Structure formats: structure tokens, C-alpha cells
Amino acid sequence: MDRARRLLVLHFGVGLSGLAFFVSLRPELPGAIDALLIASVGLAIAALQHRFEHEALPDRVYAVRDYADDHPLLLVAGIMLTAAVAALPIVVERSLVRWYFDGIFGLYVGFLGYRILYGLVRPVPEAALERV
């Protein structure tokens, strides 16, 4: 299996399993406000992923990425700390769960939308293939 196909299988596996999980939690169709939030987050994630894979972000972003590759425990600790801080508003105010749900669902939609564009329609950027 070549690198592009391996990347597609990995990303579609992650993206589709995330979408399936969130659809199983809330199977009804989203309302207009929810759809707008999902679409907005999806577009933002796709744009960020495009800039990341086309090496259009500042060099310090890639330096942090490379440092995290060399220090996986620090990466896990940073992710756990970020998740705890991001989830704190849900603990304080339960009505925010709906917006978090839409945001995370939009994240998966954007991730998959970008990979469909740069993976199925157009070739995967070389910078992404180097990391596989």
C-alpha cells in the first residue's frame, strides 16, 4: 500500500468513526443554528488543515510539531490539559453540551471534507505524505 492510500485509509477511518459516534449520540437532524455552527467549524478546520499541509503556517508551528514527535509524553500531557480546560465550561453549564457537540461534529466534517478534496479529487500534498 502506497503512502497516499495509507493516509486516506487512516484519515477516513478516524473521520468516519468520529462521525458515526456523534450521529449515534444525537441521531436527529440538526437545526438551522446547529447546521450553521457545524458548517462554520468544518470550513475553519478544512482551511487550517490546508494551511498546515501546504506549509503556510509560521515555522514555529512546525517546530512545535517536530518537538511533539520527539516527546510523545509531553504531547499527551498537553492534549489532556487542553481537553480539560476546553471541557470546563460544560461542567459549569450543562446547556453548552449542544454547542460542543456541534463543534466537534463540525471538526470531523471539515477533516473529512478536506481529505476528500485533497486525497480523492486532488492529490495529497507532499508535506502530508512525508509524515506517513
Side-chain angles (χ1 to χ4, degrees):
M1 184 181 305
D2 65 337
R3 293 183 303 166
R5 188 169 308 271
R6 202 170 349 157
L7 180 81
L8 287 174
V9 168
L10 174 67
H11 284 189
F12 277 106
V14 169
L16 291 174
S17 63
L19 284 180
F21 175 72
F22 280 95
V23 166
S24 72
L25 291 177
R26 195 170 94 184
E28 71 270 0
L29 290 175
I33 300 291
D34 296 320
L36 182 63
L37 180 61
I38 290 169
S40 299
V41 170
L43 286 173
I45 291 298
L48 182 64
Q49 192 172 358
H50 179 270
R51 290 185 55 84
F52 190 80
E53 285 190 356
H54 287 87
E55 305 286 330
L57 294 173
D59 289 337
R60 65 183 174 270
V61 172
Y62 302 105
V64 169
R65 176 196 65 193
D66 295 338
Y67 185 82
D69 284 346
D70 296 336
H71 302 87
L73 289 177
L74 282 176
L75 175 65
V76 170
I79 290 171
M80 289 174 60
L81 180 64
T82 302
V85 169
L88 188 61
I90 295 176
V91 175
V92 175
E93 182 59 46
R94 299 294 251 183
S95 66
L96 295 174
V97 171
R98 171 184 174 195
W99 306 112
Y100 273 73
F101 176 88
D102 292 343
I104 295 171
F105 192 81
L107 183 138
Y108 282 111
V109 168
F111 180 70
L112 282 174
Y114 176 82
R115 192 47 67 207
I116 288 170
L117 180 62
Y118 284 98
L120 296 180
V121 177
R122 302 180 79 185
V124 176
E126 194 61 39
L129 292 177
E130 290 173 5
R131 300 202 32 88
V132 175

PDB file of all heavy atoms in Angstrom, residues 1 10-11 13 20 22 26 31 42-43 48 50-51 56 63-64 68 74 76 88 94 102 109-110 121 129:
ATOM      1  N   MET A   1       0.852  -1.168   0.000  1.00  0.00           N
ATOM      2  CA  MET A   1       0.000   0.000   0.000  1.00  0.00           C
ATOM      3  C   MET A   1       0.903   1.238   0.000  1.00  0.00           C
ATOM      4  O   MET A   1       1.789   1.369   0.841  1.00  0.00           O
ATOM      5  CB  MET A   1      -0.892  -0.022   1.249  1.00  0.00           C
ATOM      6  CG  MET A   1      -1.877   1.100   1.291  1.00  0.00           C
ATOM      7  SD  MET A   1      -2.965   1.182   2.741  1.00  0.00           S
ATOM      8  CE  MET A   1      -3.743  -0.386   2.789  1.00  0.00           C
ATOM      9  N   LEU A  10      -6.278   5.829   6.851  1.00  0.00           N
ATOM     10  CA  LEU A  10      -6.189   6.308   8.235  1.00  0.00           C
ATOM     11  C   LEU A  10      -7.143   7.471   8.484  1.00  0.00           C
ATOM     12  O   LEU A  10      -7.927   7.443   9.437  1.00  0.00           O
ATOM     13  CB  LEU A  10      -4.755   6.725   8.552  1.00  0.00           C
ATOM     14  CG  LEU A  10      -4.543   7.387   9.910  1.00  0.00           C
ATOM     15  CD1 LEU A  10      -4.782   6.379  11.024  1.00  0.00           C
ATOM     16  CD2 LEU A  10      -3.157   7.976  10.000  1.00  0.00           C
ATOM     17  N   HIS A  11      -7.107   8.466   7.629  1.00  0.00           N
ATOM     18  CA  HIS A  11      -7.941   9.644   7.856  1.00  0.00           C
ATOM     19  C   HIS A  11      -9.426   9.357   7.686  1.00  0.00           C
ATOM     20  O   HIS A  11     -10.245   9.868   8.455  1.00  0.00           O
ATOM     21  CB  HIS A  11      -7.504  10.777   6.928  1.00  0.00           C
ATOM     22  CG  HIS A  11      -6.246  11.442   7.390  1.00  0.00           C
ATOM     23  ND1 HIS A  11      -5.765  12.584   6.823  1.00  0.00           N
ATOM     24  CD2 HIS A  11      -5.365  11.119   8.366  1.00  0.00           C
ATOM     25  CE1 HIS A  11      -4.652  12.951   7.433  1.00  0.00           C
ATOM     26  NE2 HIS A  11      -4.391  12.065   8.369  1.00  0.00           N
ATOM     27  N   GLY A  13     -10.796   6.447   8.208  1.00  0.00           N
ATOM     28  CA  GLY A  13     -11.156   5.633   9.369  1.00  0.00           C
ATOM     29  C   GLY A  13     -11.434   6.483  10.590  1.00  0.00           C
ATOM     30  O   GLY A  13     -12.448   6.316  11.279  1.00  0.00           O
ATOM     31  N   ALA A  20     -19.726   8.684  12.922  1.00  0.00           N
ATOM     32  CA  ALA A  20     -20.677   7.641  13.329  1.00  0.00           C
ATOM     33  C   ALA A  20     -20.943   7.707  14.826  1.00  0.00           C
ATOM     34  O   ALA A  20     -22.092   7.552  15.266  1.00  0.00           O
ATOM     35  CB  ALA A  20     -20.142   6.264  12.937  1.00  0.00           C
ATOM     36  N   PHE A  22     -20.781  10.361  16.830  1.00  0.00           N
ATOM     37  CA  PHE A  22     -21.598  11.520  17.172  1.00  0.00           C
ATOM     38  C   PHE A  22     -23.010  11.419  16.630  1.00  0.00           C
ATOM     39  O   PHE A  22     -23.954  11.894  17.258  1.00  0.00           O
ATOM     40  CB  PHE A  22     -20.917  12.814  16.730  1.00  0.00           C
ATOM     41  CG  PHE A  22     -19.860  13.250  17.692  1.00  0.00           C
ATOM     42  CD1 PHE A  22     -18.543  12.910  17.497  1.00  0.00           C
ATOM     43  CD2 PHE A  22     -20.195  13.959  18.824  1.00  0.00           C
ATOM     44  CE1 PHE A  22     -17.569  13.283  18.400  1.00  0.00           C
ATOM     45  CE2 PHE A  22     -19.238  14.345  19.743  1.00  0.00           C
ATOM     46  CZ  PHE A  22     -17.919  14.001  19.529  1.00  0.00           C
ATOM     47  N   ARG A  26     -26.677  11.609  18.860  1.00  0.00           N
ATOM     48  CA  ARG A  26     -27.784  12.517  18.562  1.00  0.00           C
ATOM     49  C   ARG A  26     -28.239  12.287  17.123  1.00  0.00           C
ATOM     50  O   ARG A  26     -27.797  12.970  16.204  1.00  0.00           O
ATOM     51  CB  ARG A  26     -27.331  13.963  18.758  1.00  0.00           C
ATOM     52  CG  ARG A  26     -28.510  14.920  18.830  1.00  0.00           C
ATOM     53  CD  ARG A  26     -28.089  16.290  19.256  1.00  0.00           C
ATOM     54  NE  ARG A  26     -27.841  17.100  18.072  1.00  0.00           N
ATOM     55  CZ  ARG A  26     -27.389  18.338  18.114  1.00  0.00           C
ATOM     56  NH1 ARG A  26     -27.090  18.887  19.254  1.00  0.00           N
ATOM     57  NH2 ARG A  26     -27.213  19.017  17.021  1.00  0.00           N
ATOM     58  N   GLY A  31     -30.717  21.550  13.694  1.00  0.00           N
ATOM     59  CA  GLY A  31     -31.496  22.730  13.333  1.00  0.00           C
ATOM     60  C   GLY A  31     -30.634  23.696  12.522  1.00  0.00           C
ATOM     61  O   GLY A  31     -29.457  23.438  12.255  1.00  0.00           O
ATOM     62  N   GLY A  42     -16.483  23.332  10.353  1.00  0.00           N
ATOM     63  CA  GLY A  42     -15.945  22.487   9.286  1.00  0.00           C
ATOM     64  C   GLY A  42     -15.085  23.272   8.311  1.00  0.00           C
ATOM     65  O   GLY A  42     -13.989  22.839   7.941  1.00  0.00           O
ATOM     66  N   LEU A  43     -15.553  24.436   7.899  1.00  0.00           N
ATOM     67  CA  LEU A  43     -14.769  25.272   6.985  1.00  0.00           C
ATOM     68  C   LEU A  43     -13.484  25.760   7.646  1.00  0.00           C
ATOM     69  O   LEU A  43     -12.426  25.799   7.012  1.00  0.00           O
ATOM     70  CB  LEU A  43     -15.602  26.450   6.503  1.00  0.00           C
ATOM     71  CG  LEU A  43     -16.678  26.123   5.476  1.00  0.00           C
ATOM     72  CD1 LEU A  43     -17.555  27.343   5.212  1.00  0.00           C
ATOM     73  CD2 LEU A  43     -16.048  25.621   4.190  1.00  0.00           C
ATOM     74  N   LEU A  48      -7.648  25.438   8.057  1.00  0.00           N
ATOM     75  CA  LEU A  48      -6.451  25.254   8.883  1.00  0.00           C
ATOM     76  C   LEU A  48      -5.634  24.056   8.408  1.00  0.00           C
ATOM     77  O   LEU A  48      -4.406  24.122   8.313  1.00  0.00           O
ATOM     78  CB  LEU A  48      -6.848  25.084  10.355  1.00  0.00           C
ATOM     79  CG  LEU A  48      -5.691  24.931  11.331  1.00  0.00           C
ATOM     80  CD1 LEU A  48      -4.848  26.203  11.354  1.00  0.00           C
ATOM     81  CD2 LEU A  48      -6.214  24.632  12.715  1.00  0.00           C
ATOM     82  N   HIS A  50      -5.580  22.858   5.404  1.00  0.00           N
ATOM     83  CA  HIS A  50      -4.987  23.244   4.119  1.00  0.00           C
ATOM     84  C   HIS A  50      -3.708  24.047   4.348  1.00  0.00           C
ATOM     85  O   HIS A  50      -2.671  23.768   3.745  1.00  0.00           O
ATOM     86  CB  HIS A  50      -5.990  24.055   3.301  1.00  0.00           C
ATOM     87  CG  HIS A  50      -5.449  24.493   1.987  1.00  0.00           C
ATOM     88  ND1 HIS A  50      -4.784  25.689   1.827  1.00  0.00           N
ATOM     89  CD2 HIS A  50      -5.461  23.892   0.770  1.00  0.00           C
ATOM     90  CE1 HIS A  50      -4.406  25.808   0.572  1.00  0.00           C
ATOM     91  NE2 HIS A  50      -4.815  24.738  -0.094  1.00  0.00           N
ATOM     92  N   ARG A  51      -3.777  25.028   5.226  1.00  0.00           N
ATOM     93  CA  ARG A  51      -2.588  25.839   5.508  1.00  0.00           C
ATOM     94  C   ARG A  51      -1.484  24.999   6.133  1.00  0.00           C
ATOM     95  O   ARG A  51      -0.310  25.165   5.822  1.00  0.00           O
ATOM     96  CB  ARG A  51      -2.944  27.016   6.407  1.00  0.00           C
ATOM     97  CG  ARG A  51      -3.805  28.058   5.678  1.00  0.00           C
ATOM     98  CD  ARG A  51      -4.074  29.285   6.498  1.00  0.00           C
ATOM     99  NE  ARG A  51      -2.875  29.941   7.010  1.00  0.00           N
ATOM    100  CZ  ARG A  51      -2.131  30.825   6.342  1.00  0.00           C
ATOM    101  NH1 ARG A  51      -2.462  31.146   5.120  1.00  0.00           N
ATOM    102  NH2 ARG A  51      -1.087  31.375   6.910  1.00  0.00           N
ATOM    103  N   ALA A  56       2.045  26.639   5.064  1.00  0.00           N
ATOM    104  CA  ALA A  56       1.743  28.069   5.019  1.00  0.00           C
ATOM    105  C   ALA A  56       1.637  28.692   6.410  1.00  0.00           C
ATOM    106  O   ALA A  56       1.265  29.854   6.521  1.00  0.00           O
ATOM    107  CB  ALA A  56       0.445  28.292   4.254  1.00  0.00           C
ATOM    108  N   ALA A  63       7.947  23.650  14.211  1.00  0.00           N
ATOM    109  CA  ALA A  63       8.946  23.310  15.228  1.00  0.00           C
ATOM    110  C   ALA A  63       8.268  22.634  16.421  1.00  0.00           C
ATOM    111  O   ALA A  63       8.791  21.651  16.968  1.00  0.00           O
ATOM    112  CB  ALA A  63       9.700  24.556  15.666  1.00  0.00           C
ATOM    113  N   VAL A  64       7.107  23.137  16.822  1.00  0.00           N
ATOM    114  CA  VAL A  64       6.356  22.510  17.922  1.00  0.00           C
ATOM    115  C   VAL A  64       5.908  21.113  17.519  1.00  0.00           C
ATOM    116  O   VAL A  64       5.991  20.166  18.309  1.00  0.00           O
ATOM    117  CB  VAL A  64       5.151  23.389  18.330  1.00  0.00           C
ATOM    118  CG1 VAL A  64       4.208  22.645  19.260  1.00  0.00           C
ATOM    119  CG2 VAL A  64       5.639  24.672  18.974  1.00  0.00           C
ATOM    120  N   ALA A  68       6.970  17.733  19.396  1.00  0.00           N
ATOM    121  CA  ALA A  68       5.974  16.795  19.920  1.00  0.00           C
ATOM    122  C   ALA A  68       6.216  15.385  19.393  1.00  0.00           C
ATOM    123  O   ALA A  68       5.979  14.410  20.102  1.00  0.00           O
ATOM    124  CB  ALA A  68       4.570  17.257  19.559  1.00  0.00           C
ATOM    125  N   LEU A  74       4.978  14.479  26.481  1.00  0.00           N
ATOM    126  CA  LEU A  74       4.611  15.893  26.585  1.00  0.00           C
ATOM    127  C   LEU A  74       3.419  16.208  25.688  1.00  0.00           C
ATOM    128  O   LEU A  74       2.555  17.004  26.046  1.00  0.00           O
ATOM    129  CB  LEU A  74       5.787  16.786  26.215  1.00  0.00           C
ATOM    130  CG  LEU A  74       6.851  16.961  27.281  1.00  0.00           C
ATOM    131  CD1 LEU A  74       8.010  17.799  26.760  1.00  0.00           C
ATOM    132  CD2 LEU A  74       6.261  17.607  28.516  1.00  0.00           C
ATOM    133  N   VAL A  76       0.968  14.102  24.879  1.00  0.00           N
ATOM    134  CA  VAL A  76      -0.217  13.557  25.547  1.00  0.00           C
ATOM    135  C   VAL A  76      -0.622  14.446  26.723  1.00  0.00           C
ATOM    136  O   VAL A  76      -1.808  14.746  26.914  1.00  0.00           O
ATOM    137  CB  VAL A  76       0.030  12.096  26.003  1.00  0.00           C
ATOM    138  CG1 VAL A  76      -1.079  11.608  26.902  1.00  0.00           C
ATOM    139  CG2 VAL A  76       0.185  11.193  24.796  1.00  0.00           C
ATOM    140  N   LEU A  88     -14.102  22.433  30.665  1.00  0.00           N
ATOM    141  CA  LEU A  88     -14.527  23.059  31.917  1.00  0.00           C
ATOM    142  C   LEU A  88     -15.863  23.799  31.802  1.00  0.00           C
ATOM    143  O   LEU A  88     -16.707  23.655  32.692  1.00  0.00           O
ATOM    144  CB  LEU A  88     -13.430  23.991  32.428  1.00  0.00           C
ATOM    145  CG  LEU A  88     -13.649  24.577  33.809  1.00  0.00           C
ATOM    146  CD1 LEU A  88     -13.730  23.455  34.851  1.00  0.00           C
ATOM    147  CD2 LEU A  88     -12.521  25.527  34.155  1.00  0.00           C
ATOM    148  N   ARG A  94     -24.352  22.984  31.861  1.00  0.00           N
ATOM    149  CA  ARG A  94     -24.708  21.806  31.068  1.00  0.00           C
ATOM    150  C   ARG A  94     -25.354  22.132  29.723  1.00  0.00           C
ATOM    151  O   ARG A  94     -25.317  21.350  28.801  1.00  0.00           O
ATOM    152  CB  ARG A  94     -25.647  20.895  31.854  1.00  0.00           C
ATOM    153  CG  ARG A  94     -25.056  20.365  33.130  1.00  0.00           C
ATOM    154  CD  ARG A  94     -23.931  19.479  32.842  1.00  0.00           C
ATOM    155  NE  ARG A  94     -24.285  18.104  33.133  1.00  0.00           N
ATOM    156  CZ  ARG A  94     -23.433  17.124  33.013  1.00  0.00           C
ATOM    157  NH1 ARG A  94     -22.221  17.369  32.608  1.00  0.00           N
ATOM    158  NH2 ARG A  94     -23.780  15.906  33.302  1.00  0.00           N
ATOM    159  N   ASP A 102     -21.912  20.189  18.399  1.00  0.00           N
ATOM    160  CA  ASP A 102     -21.875  20.737  17.042  1.00  0.00           C
ATOM    161  C   ASP A 102     -20.453  21.079  16.616  1.00  0.00           C
ATOM    162  O   ASP A 102     -20.066  20.843  15.470  1.00  0.00           O
ATOM    163  CB  ASP A 102     -22.746  21.989  16.951  1.00  0.00           C
ATOM    164  CG  ASP A 102     -24.226  21.686  17.107  1.00  0.00           C
ATOM    165  OD1 ASP A 102     -24.613  20.508  16.956  1.00  0.00           O
ATOM    166  OD2 ASP A 102     -24.989  22.635  17.397  1.00  0.00           O
ATOM    167  N   VAL A 109     -16.442  16.826  10.157  1.00  0.00           N
ATOM    168  CA  VAL A 109     -16.931  17.148   8.811  1.00  0.00           C
ATOM    169  C   VAL A 109     -15.845  17.882   8.015  1.00  0.00           C
ATOM    170  O   VAL A 109     -15.580  17.556   6.853  1.00  0.00           O
ATOM    171  CB  VAL A 109     -18.228  17.980   8.887  1.00  0.00           C
ATOM    172  CG1 VAL A 109     -18.588  18.576   7.541  1.00  0.00           C
ATOM    173  CG2 VAL A 109     -19.373  17.129   9.410  1.00  0.00           C
ATOM    174  N   GLY A 110     -15.202  18.855   8.634  1.00  0.00           N
ATOM    175  CA  GLY A 110     -14.136  19.592   7.967  1.00  0.00           C
ATOM    176  C   GLY A 110     -12.941  18.726   7.649  1.00  0.00           C
ATOM    177  O   GLY A 110     -12.341  18.818   6.570  1.00  0.00           O
ATOM    178  N   VAL A 121     -10.187  13.922  -4.858  1.00  0.00           N
ATOM    179  CA  VAL A 121     -10.356  14.789  -6.020  1.00  0.00           C
ATOM    180  C   VAL A 121      -9.000  15.264  -6.546  1.00  0.00           C
ATOM    181  O   VAL A 121      -8.727  15.183  -7.741  1.00  0.00           O
ATOM    182  CB  VAL A 121     -11.251  15.998  -5.665  1.00  0.00           C
ATOM    183  CG1 VAL A 121     -11.377  16.953  -6.837  1.00  0.00           C
ATOM    184  CG2 VAL A 121     -12.630  15.525  -5.215  1.00  0.00           C
ATOM    185  N   LEU A 129       2.334  13.540   2.826  1.00  0.00           N
ATOM    186  CA  LEU A 129       2.851  12.204   2.517  1.00  0.00           C
ATOM    187  C   LEU A 129       4.188  11.949   3.216  1.00  0.00           C
ATOM    188  O   LEU A 129       4.492  10.809   3.564  1.00  0.00           O
ATOM    189  CB  LEU A 129       3.046  12.052   0.995  1.00  0.00           C
ATOM    190  CG  LEU A 129       1.762  12.021   0.183  1.00  0.00           C
ATOM    191  CD1 LEU A 129       2.087  11.942  -1.301  1.00  0.00           C
ATOM    192  CD2 LEU A 129       0.883  10.860   0.606  1.00  0.00           C
TER     193      LEU A 129
END
